[in-house]
Amino acid sequence: MSTLLVKQIHTLVTMDAERREIANGALFIRDNVIEQVGTTSELPQTADEVLDLQGRYVVLPGLVNTHHHFYQTLTRAIPAAQDCDLFNWLQTLYPIWAKLTPRAIYVSAQMAAAELMLSGCTTASDHLYIYPNGSTLDDEIEAVQAIGLRFHASRGSMSVGQSQGGLPPDSVVEREADILNDSQRLIEQYHNNDRHAMLRITLAPCSPFSVSQDLMRESAALARSHPGIRLHTHLAENKSDIEYSLATFGMTPGDYAESVGWVGPDVWHAHCVQLDDRAIRQFGKTGTGIAHCPCSNMRLASGMAPIRTMLHHHVPVGLGVDGSASNDTSNLLNEARTAFLMARVREQDASAMTARGALELATLGGARVLGRDDIGALAPGMSADFVAISLDRPEFAGALHDPVAAMIFCQVNRVDYNFINGRKVVDQGRLTTVELETLVEEHNTLSRQLMEP
Ligand code: ZN
């Protein structure tokens, strides 16, 4: 057993039931769990380890990323895909992704996780749906466990290739029986449903245009036969996605999701930019969640998701940076800022989203979407996942009368400290768990190899 005291926090943002923001705050942690939260004078004065923030840092609950494709860090800013919409972008990239290897999956997962952790993320879901050349989800799990990010690994899949009317080339799709067998294996091998779990498994057929309705139904049945296995996919991302759904299934994406059993508090869908009002009400009633990915949606010109309307109808909303080939970054605090700006533009209303509302989506919102009540807030009994951001930065100059709002109104590229499950993974702006320069170098070598003809 070991204890950690973080004291003299300028402002401690708890996201607790009262949304307290504590001046001169402190946290007392035992192993991986928060034991006490309060002012520095109320809490114990010492511990095995003490981090004195000298009244110069804001502490936030660790941010939660609900949608990503880690392997895409290898294929950012590809010239031929720079100016494409979703379907053309995918068709340009599928042949490059077909050259991925187990090592490329491992290294890109660490690269994406590193970028997320440096920008304040403590828990991420990743959606891996392409397994060429012997790659498995295990490659990614091993990489993320080594770097220390709390992880929801999604067993993605594609089973309907071009010859069957799908979008991906036949060379990258799998047999549905193989997908389901591997899903079962991964659940048995890795899924941890305990409180404070560092690793959970999600089942995640890729999208309506790359899997069958049968695989959607079978995946839902398999997930629901195990406690804590959630379901995730892409839905209603842009107009072509809607047209495909109407032409192929004769249904809107919302009706399609319902017809295959993909609504409920154990399901979350990425994007939902073009989800209609009837489906939004249905998602609200059933507790079906959304991963809102504003940077990617703008990058691919997919549109602006109606987040204000979704929140009004009690749809659980979290944020996702989405894959690094369509963002092309993995900065979650920046994603919260973009969500905040986009909501205002979409509604033509400067009060459509507040800075604190954006921080709530990035923390509590994401935790709810991932089905967790042990992360997203700093309170006794919660996991010790938190980040500290120095106020002595040029970006915050002149904004110190409201340092919490400054986290969103101003731009933050890196956090100074990041603790995940009680472990210090970023110390004074540097990752403690991997050698970043070496990682970037190998990553770039692998990226170059993918580009070779
Ligand atoms: Zn995606």
Side-chain angles (χ1 to χ4, degrees):
M1 299 284 264
S2 75
T3 55
L4 165 68
L5 173 68
V6 185
K7 66 176 190 177
Q8 293 210 70
I9 300 165
H10 180 287
T11 306
L12 171 59
V13 179
T14 64
M15 289 289 165
D16 67 5
E18 292 84 43
R19 303 294 187 273
R20 284 185 303 156
E21 293 172 4
I22 303 172
N24 197 7
L27 292 169
F28 187 81
I29 290 145
R30 191 175 300 276
D31 293 332
N32 59 333
V33 180
I34 297 169
E35 202 168 86
Q36 295 182 56
V37 176
T39 61
T40 296
S41 60
E42 288 166 349
L43 261 60
Q45 294 307 298
T46 191
D48 299 332
E49 189 187 343
V50 178
L51 177 62
D52 184 347
L53 294 179
Q54 302 176 343
R56 289 159 49 202
Y57 292 75
V58 165
V59 166
L60 303 174
L63 310 183
V64 180
N65 185 49
T66 62
H67 186 67
H68 207 316
H69 311 286
F70 285 177
Y71 72 87
Q72 291 181 11
T73 55
L74 293 158
T75 57
R76 292 197 249 223
I78 301 269
Q82 281 177 13
D83 305 319
C84 295
D85 66 5
L86 176 66
F87 284 11
N88 292 316
W89 174 87
L90 280 168
Q91 283 169 325
T92 304
L93 291 170
Y94 284 138
I96 301 174
W97 296 339
K99 295 191 269 181
L100 286 166
T101 59
R103 185 66 191 169
I105 299 282
Y106 184 98
V107 172
S108 58
Q110 286 204 335
M111 193 69 256
E115 210 183 342
L116 285 170
M117 288 154 72
L118 286 166
S119 65
C121 177
T122 54
T123 299
S125 165
D126 190 60
H127 189 183
L128 180 60
Y129 53 79
I130 188 165
Y131 297 93
N133 307 309
S135 304
T136 61
L137 192 62
D138 309 61
D139 302 318
E140 179 174 20
I141 289 171
E142 199 186 316
V144 177
Q145 286 188 315
I147 202 168
L149 180 65
R150 197 181 295 280
F151 193 39
H152 286 221
S154 294
R155 204 314 178 175
S157 52
M158 299 194 290
S159 64
V160 178
Q162 271 161 11
S163 65
Q164 307 300 312
L167 196 71
D170 289 359
S171 59
V172 296
V173 303
E174 297 175 87
R175 290 178 44 227
E176 297 196 346
D178 295 343
I179 293 165
L180 291 165
N181 283 338
D182 194 46
S183 301
Q184 175 81 37
R185 174 188 72 81
L186 290 160
I187 292 169
E188 287 168 6
Q189 191 168 339
Y190 294 111
H191 182 64
N192 179 352
N193 206 40
D194 296 343
R195 194 169 172 82
H196 313 300
M198 287 294 286
L199 178 61
R200 287 189 184 161
I201 298 291
T202 301
L203 300 190
C206 188
S207 59
F209 50 83
S210 61
V211 302
S212 73
Q213 289 163 288
D214 270 355
L215 184 65
M216 294 296 282
R217 287 195 195 93
E218 293 287 325
S219 297
L222 178 58
R224 287 170 179 148
S225 65
H226 295 84
I229 301 289
R230 300 176 79 72
L231 293 163
H232 181 49
T233 192
H234 294 90
L235 197 74
E237 184 164 347
N238 72 354
K239 288 213 171 71
S240 311
D241 199 356
I242 307 289
E243 283 158 16
Y244 183 94
S245 184
L246 291 171
T248 311
F249 311 116
M251 285 182 267
T252 62
D255 288 341
Y256 164 88
E258 199 168 350
S259 75
V260 291
W262 277 63
V263 290
D266 57 347
V267 181
W268 87 103
H269 297 280
H271 304 301
C272 295
V273 172
Q274 308 287 348
L275 201 67
D276 59 38
D277 284 350
R278 192 164 52 86
I280 290 173
R281 281 193 296 274
Q282 178 69 352
F283 278 25
K285 261 186 242 150
T286 55
T288 309
I290 301 290
H292 177 41
C293 308
C295 284
S296 169
N297 297 156
M298 288 195 283
R299 202 274 202 194
L300 297 172
S302 300
M304 297 188 278
I307 295 306
R308 197 60 263 162
T309 308
M310 290 173 178
L311 293 171
H312 176 74
H313 289 287
H314 309 290
V315 177
V317 177
L319 297 179
V321 299
D322 201 5
S324 290
S326 68
N327 184 315
D328 297 5
T329 188
S330 303
N331 184 325
L332 196 47
L333 207 45
N334 180 58
E335 202 70 28
R337 181 169 195 259
T338 307
F340 152 87
L341 296 173
M342 183 193 266
R344 291 175 171 213
V345 174
R346 190 186 190 283
E347 306 304 329
Q348 297 283 292
D349 173 3
S351 66
M353 189 175 293
T354 63
R356 285 169 171 81
L359 282 175
E360 186 163 326
L361 290 184
T363 52
L364 284 175
R368 182 169 173 211
V369 162
L370 295 187
R372 300 196 66 136
D373 60 5
D374 55 351
I375 58 171
L378 302 176
M382 301 295 279
S383 304
D385 290 10
F386 59 94
V387 297
I389 297 156
S390 161
L391 293 170
D392 299 333
R393 304 170 176 228
E395 294 90 328
F396 294 144
L400 299 188
H401 36 265
D402 191 349
V404 179
M407 298 295 132
I408 295 295
F409 273 93
C410 310
Q411 176 89 25
V412 182
N413 286 319
R414 280 198 181 190
V415 299
D416 297 283
Y417 295 96
N418 183 334
F419 285 78
I420 302 178
N421 213 36
R423 177 187 189 194
K424 184 160 55 185
V425 295
V426 175
D427 185 8
Q428 297 179 62
R430 294 187 67 86
L431 276 169
T432 64
T433 51
V434 293
E435 178 54 57
L436 193 58
E437 289 72 18
T438 318
L439 177 63
V440 170
E441 200 181 319
E442 185 179 3
H443 184 269
N444 288 344
T445 302
L446 291 162
S447 175
R448 267 196 306 278
Q449 285 167 3
L450 285 184
M451 303 309 145
E452 283 163 7

